[in-house]
Amino acid sequence: EVLRQALGLDRDSVDALRALGRALAEQGRAEEAIEPWQKALAMAPDDDLLRFMLGKVLLRAGRAADAAPHLRAGLDGVADSAEGFRLLGLAETAAGELDAAAVAFERCLALKADDVVALVRLAMVRMMTDRAAEAEDPLKHALVLSPDDPVAHHAMGCLRYRKGDRAGAMADFREALERRPDFPDAACNLGAILVEENRPAEAEACFRGVLDAHPGHQDALSGLGNALLDKGRAEEACDALLAAEARPSAGNDLVTAMHYLSRFSADDIFAGYRRWNEHHARPLSRTRTLFPNDPDPERPLRVGYVGNLWRPRAVAMVNPAPARHDPAAVDAYFYAGSVEPSP
């Protein structure tokens, strides 16, 4: 309150604005701290430390895309700050700039080799940029430094899953949940593997546990839909998947489930395909060369499926074509993204 009174007396005081922003940030009022620091920075645009602090509070307020440029520019004045590069890495990750995030985490670790957060986040970024082989060493180091870190155990589970070690991945996800029972990502990933392992009852328990604590959690709803579908409970599965449709990948599972229920007409199912197309095919079409088809009514209808677990999904999604058309007039193509046998 004293600072606010000071601002009322001297609105051109950078120091007063800076102090007000700091006081609000220390009270956990990140959103309110942004405005005074923005005003102070407008008065002192060359103040690197002030710019850095603004980036830090923007990140805390969930505005990573706005935070990253301020953190990046502000680091000129705090170049030896391991914390600064860690925060920049977090902002770049949240903004989708994964290569830049990896560089920031690496610079953080060059200054502070035992920064567990940077080690784990670097490993996760490497996994997301197809550099999984380079993720194991930082994760092992993080777990040596902090063996009870649930995020490190979760990341190791993700890495083991990528390497095809489902049993190891499940063990790591359980380790993470033992240390942090309310860890939705770990529970959802564990549930997803249990679905793949044909253990839908255990998977359902994982997803329902997340939903009890976090109603409306999109990944949990989507996973629950898959688990219920595997148990033959198509009605309940559709309800869960419809609730999860804001999550793009849920659309594919929803369309699969819709084929099993008479309450959905062919038009409903076709609309589901269109929604899936908007989420997935249309964004990719900008990077592909399209080849026009000749308007030949004698040409067979071409139906394709791309993905893993093609046997159960293709049966639901592709079989209706030959069932409703002359089978001799349909060509089906299947492309699997996995060499593992389907369950």
Side-chain angles (χ1 to χ4, degrees):
E1 187 59 36
V2 171
L3 287 170
R4 290 188 185 278
Q5 291 173 5
L7 287 172
L9 296 173
D10 184 0
R11 294 188 178 277
D12 293 327
S13 170
V14 173
D15 289 340
L17 285 163
R18 186 202 308 271
L20 175 60
R22 182 181 295 112
L24 291 168
E26 288 174 354
Q27 293 176 31
R29 298 157 66 181
E31 285 285 356
E32 294 175 73
I34 292 170
E35 184 179 357
W37 272 340
Q38 284 177 328
K39 289 180 178 178
L41 189 61
M43 299 176 193
D46 297 326
D47 189 325
D48 290 332
L49 182 57
L50 181 57
R51 186 175 295 278
F52 177 79
M53 296 303 292
L54 174 59
K56 187 174 178 179
V57 79
L58 283 165
L59 179 61
R60 193 181 302 171
R63 294 168 54 179
D66 295 326
H70 288 293
L71 290 169
R72 204 178 302 125
L75 275 169
D76 290 342
V78 284
D80 292 331
S81 169
E83 180 201 18
F85 285 113
R86 185 201 324 124
L87 292 172
L88 176 59
L90 294 172
E92 300 281 26
T93 302
E97 300 293 336
L98 300 182
D99 290 334
V103 171
F105 290 132
E106 287 164 358
R107 293 190 68 178
C108 169
L109 292 166
L111 295 166
K112 186 181 179 186
D114 61 352
D115 190 309
V116 173
V117 172
L119 285 164
V120 174
R121 295 292 182 167
L122 174 60
M124 293 170 71
V125 166
R126 285 177 174 174
M127 282 189 271
M128 290 188 283
T129 53
D130 297 321
R131 297 167 59 191
E134 300 172 59
E136 189 165 0
D137 285 345
L139 278 179
K140 285 182 175 178
H141 189 192
L143 285 166
V144 169
L145 293 168
S146 183
D148 289 326
D149 188 313
V151 179
H153 281 286
H154 175 254
M156 184 61 84
C158 294
L159 178 60
R160 286 193 169 134
Y161 179 77
R162 282 175 173 266
K163 294 169 69 174
D165 180 5
R166 288 181 182 172
M170 285 195 291
D172 279 310
F173 293 143
R174 287 194 169 103
E175 292 277 2
L177 288 165
E178 183 178 326
R179 289 158 175 79
R180 185 194 295 174
D182 186 13
F183 195 162
D185 287 351
C188 287
N189 284 334
L190 175 59
I193 297 178
L194 289 167
V195 170
E196 293 177 8
E197 292 283 302
N198 198 27
R199 295 159 65 179
E202 295 170 75
E204 181 183 353
C206 284
F207 297 125
R208 289 200 184 279
V210 174
L211 290 166
D212 286 344
H214 305 275
H217 191 284
Q218 293 292 291
D219 286 347
L221 284 166
S222 178
L224 176 62
N226 277 312
L228 293 171
L229 195 59
D230 280 5
K231 294 177 74 174
R233 293 156 61 182
E235 288 282 358
E236 295 171 80
C238 268
D239 290 340
L241 291 166
L242 282 166
E245 203 174 4
R247 179 179 182 268
S249 61
N252 178 48
D253 303 319
L254 174 60
V255 172
T256 303
M258 290 169 74
H259 282 90
Y260 292 96
L261 299 173
S262 59
R263 80 187 203 201
F264 295 106
S265 68
D267 288 341
D268 293 330
I269 294 171
F270 189 62
Y273 279 119
R274 283 190 177 278
R275 289 192 296 273
W276 187 92
N277 182 69
E278 290 297 320
H279 282 305
H280 295 280
R282 192 173 299 281
L284 289 174
S285 68
R286 292 193 291 268
T287 65
R288 294 164 51 200
T289 302
L290 302 181
F291 299 94
N293 292 316
D294 294 330
D296 180 2
E298 301 302 316
R299 181 174 63 82
L301 174 67
R302 294 173 183 170
V303 180
Y305 176 82
V306 180
N308 62 348
L309 296 174
W310 70 265
R311 187 177 297 135
R313 289 179 178 171
V315 164
M317 300 174 73
V318 179
N319 270 9
R324 295 171 185 170
H325 300 274
D326 177 4
V330 178
D331 286 339
Y333 298 82
F334 301 92
Y335 302 89
S338 172
V339 295
E340 296 182 26
S342 294

